[in-house]
Amino acid sequence: MQRISLAVANWKMNGTLAEAKRWAEDFAPVAPALEGVETVVCAPALHLPLLHASLPESVRLGAEDVSAYTNGAHTGDVSAAMLADAGVDWVIVGHSERRAEAGDTDERVLEKARRASEAGLSTILCVGETLEERRAGSTESVLERQLVSVLSGLKPGELAALAYEPVWAIGTGEAASPETAQAVARHLRGLVARHWGEERAARLPVLYGGSVNEKNAAQFFACPDIDGALVGGASLDPERFGHIAKALKARH
Ligand code: PEP
């Protein structure tokens, strides 16, 4: 079953507007070599209009988060409709940093995914266990809770991709082994199949995220259930992110 390959940059809270513009300019020569890979840059909301104007057309724009509400009295929030209006195609929901720092619960993550879907955005749902949860042997139950609470509130077409992001691997330089990432990706696909059927599960891209870099990326992309990567730190450098996206292209 052919699934799309997805290389997703997550800049987090980094960079000035000038740096964002330079990133787009430096990445432009790499973009033509990435045909067949859906390449997405998720950036701070303030940077999105500038990136929309400066990224090569083949590179998609993504947001790092979205409001759980449609509009109105929600100071500081950015709605899905505002993102779509700014040229955004993709959005991340459920990132562990939003869960930990902004208190995003499974219920709120579902509401965010619903708002994104209503605005026509493609949603990437992040799930992942902490080190304590892994050590306690509860990885599978945590992932199942995070995934099923969202799946059960959406229609199969309302989720565009899943990202397995073990919290202990994010920003630590300690990536999961490809074996671990593959086993979890397969498990997640099985859970999707249970809820939405084999066909939808076989078509849903599953990404790995957590200290992916230009040296280890190809190992993940060789795994049969891993269709791409969500890249934090290494995506701040367009050359490094370009190498990662090219490694994904090479798996075709
Ligand atoms: C992330 O931000 O989702 C991430 C995986 O970060 P890093 O690549 O820096 O571990």
Side-chain angles (χ1 to χ4, degrees):
M1 178 72 65
Q2 192 62 29
R3 289 188 288 272
I4 62 163
S5 297
L6 258 176
V8 184
N10 175 20
W11 288 359
K12 313 195 188 197
M13 196 171 69
N14 288 297
T16 61
L17 288 172
E19 284 165 341
K21 188 157 194 301
R22 201 170 322 121
W23 194 104
E25 286 162 2
D26 290 349
F27 195 72
V30 182
L34 299 176
E35 205 191 320
V37 172
E38 178 88 350
T39 306
V40 183
V41 175
C42 297
L46 263 183
H47 295 16
L48 295 171
L50 170 90
L51 283 170
H52 185 52
S54 23
L55 280 172
E57 239 175 69
S58 61
V59 178
R60 303 271 163 242
L61 195 56
E64 299 174 6
D65 189 32
V66 62
S67 177
Y69 304 99
T70 309
N71 69 330
H74 305 288
T75 303
D77 269 16
V78 177
S79 75
M82 290 170 181
L83 295 174
D85 187 44
V88 167
D89 291 310
W90 287 83
V91 66
I92 297 171
V93 300
H95 192 284
S96 60
E97 287 153 15
R98 300 302 305 175
R99 292 180 192 264
E101 295 176 6
D104 278 9
T105 58
D106 293 325
E107 293 70 27
R108 193 187 295 166
V109 172
L110 169 60
E111 288 309 311
K112 290 182 173 199
R114 283 183 168 146
R115 297 299 86 73
S117 168
E118 287 158 9
L121 302 176
S122 296
T123 300
I124 302 169
L125 169 64
C126 296
V127 295
E129 81 286 4
T130 63
L131 190 57
E132 294 67 35
E133 288 163 342
R134 175 158 280 270
R135 285 189 175 141
S138 47
T139 297
E140 291 201 353
S141 60
V142 168
L143 296 175
E144 179 162 357
R145 192 205 72 229
Q146 292 177 341
L147 178 60
V148 171
S149 54
V150 175
L151 286 195
S152 54
L154 294 179
K155 296 189 196 79
E158 292 182 310
L159 187 65
L162 261 180
Y164 170 50
E165 295 220 308
V167 180
W168 45 270
I170 296 179
T172 60
E174 297 287 334
S177 69
E179 294 75 22
T180 298
Q182 162 57 26
V184 172
R186 176 150 296 176
H187 176 64
L188 294 174
R189 203 179 292 290
L191 292 171
V192 175
R194 217 160 73 197
H195 284 265
W196 284 344
E198 291 290 343
E199 202 185 323
R200 180 67 194 117
R203 285 188 174 278
L204 187 70
V206 178
L207 316 182
Y208 167 73
S211 297
V212 173
N213 59 42
E214 62 283 18
K215 296 194 182 80
N216 64 18
Q219 293 173 279
F220 294 107
F221 303 152
C223 297
D225 282 286
I226 296 178
D227 306 301
L230 183 44
V231 186
S235 76
L236 294 173
D237 179 339
E239 199 180 330
R240 295 181 72 195
F241 184 63
H243 283 305
I244 294 167
K246 279 185 193 159
L248 185 55
K249 161 102 182 166
R251 87 176 188 144
H252 284 287

